[in-house]
Amino acid sequence: MKKMLSLAALVMALVMAGCSPFALVNSETYNNADLADYHTFRIVTPDEGRLPPGMAMVTYYNIAAAIREQMLERGFTEDPSSPMLINIGITIHREIQTEPALPPGYAPYAGPYYNGYYPFFIYPRNVYWSSYYANARVITGIYKEGVLTMDIVNIDRKLPLYSASVATIINNGQAQFRNLKGIAEAVQTLFSEFPVKPLVPRRLT
């Protein structure tokens, strides 16, 4: 009986996963970072760079709120002076050339790349990113419009700590960002393999 229940639970989980419009594209820790050693965080703000083309402030606030909720659940405290910066990037394909990960003259890195376009990060990624941190497990071309990428960086040391991406926060065929509920679900998937787990596990609904 227990085996039958376990099998049924597994089938249900697979069905639910198959129906989800969101998929974790990558989850990578850099420099042997132990994120549990950090106790505070801050989320990039538009005045530290600029919003990706097509992103309204309300979408930024919704993404930031969803990320904030995930971090707070894991025991982190938000602090504007924290060395741990969470940077946000979106892969866009609207005939707008986004900023390359590296300064001109450097070879392109292997990470998030879509059809000739890199993710557009609010805080310039080339300040802390180099080819050394390329995620070799990410296949060029897997990224599509609307992929949300989150970098976590020790900004004081310009040291990448963690990066993850989720597809996709743009509604298929509509070229519009998802609503608050959709963004929250996407960010939950984004954190699904985060090294620091929530202090209290989420209840199944």
Side-chain angles (χ1 to χ4, degrees):
M1 183 66 177
K2 288 183 178 179
K3 288 184 178 179
M4 291 179 65
L5 289 173
S6 297
L7 180 60
L10 176 60
V11 170
M12 182 62 70
L14 290 174
V15 169
M16 291 177 67
C19 295
S20 173
F22 309 108
L24 186 70
V25 178
N26 75 296
S27 176
E28 187 80 11
T29 300
Y30 298 100
N31 297 298
N32 297 313
D34 185 352
L35 295 179
D37 288 342
Y38 293 81
H39 304 290
T40 62
F41 73 97
R42 68 183 182 89
I43 300 172
V44 66
T45 56
D47 61 1
E48 294 178 276
R50 53 195 175 111
L51 292 180
M55 178 187 282
M57 282 298 296
V58 66
T59 303
Y60 161 78
Y61 284 129
N62 288 344
I63 293 172
I67 290 174
R68 181 178 298 108
E69 179 181 2
Q70 292 292 327
M71 294 297 288
L72 295 176
E73 283 184 0
R74 289 162 170 78
F76 293 92
T77 301
E78 190 168 16
D79 181 348
S81 64
S82 175
M84 190 164 83
L85 172 70
I86 300 178
N87 196 16
I88 298 169
I90 305 288
T91 304
I92 310 165
H93 183 54
R94 294 179 187 166
E95 304 304 324
I96 299 171
Q97 180 65 55
T98 57
E99 296 178 0
L102 302 179
Y106 287 78
Y109 74 125
Y113 184 77
Y114 168 70
N115 207 20
Y117 294 81
Y118 296 96
F120 190 108
F121 280 85
I122 295 176
Y123 184 88
R125 200 183 205 194
N126 59 20
V127 172
Y128 57 82
W129 197 265
S130 71
S131 59
Y132 175 81
Y133 302 112
N135 185 349
R137 295 189 303 176
V138 177
I139 301 172
T140 298
I142 196 172
Y143 283 78
K144 56 185 177 180
E145 184 177 22
V147 170
L148 170 65
T149 299
M150 172 182 71
D151 282 350
I152 297 184
V153 188
N154 182 325
I155 200 62
D156 290 350
R157 298 175 57 195
K158 306 294 188 292
L159 186 70
L161 305 174
Y162 177 80
S163 185
S165 301
V166 63
T168 168
I169 65 165
I170 288 181
N171 283 312
N172 291 337
Q174 298 182 25
Q176 294 180 340
F177 286 97
R178 294 183 186 272
N179 59 19
L180 178 60
K181 181 177 181 292
I183 287 174
E185 291 176 1
V187 171
Q188 186 174 342
T189 300
L190 185 70
F191 276 82
S192 60
E193 293 186 12
F194 193 76
V196 181
K197 300 306 177 186
L199 299 180
V200 179
R202 286 175 175 265
R203 292 183 179 180
L204 296 176
T205 55

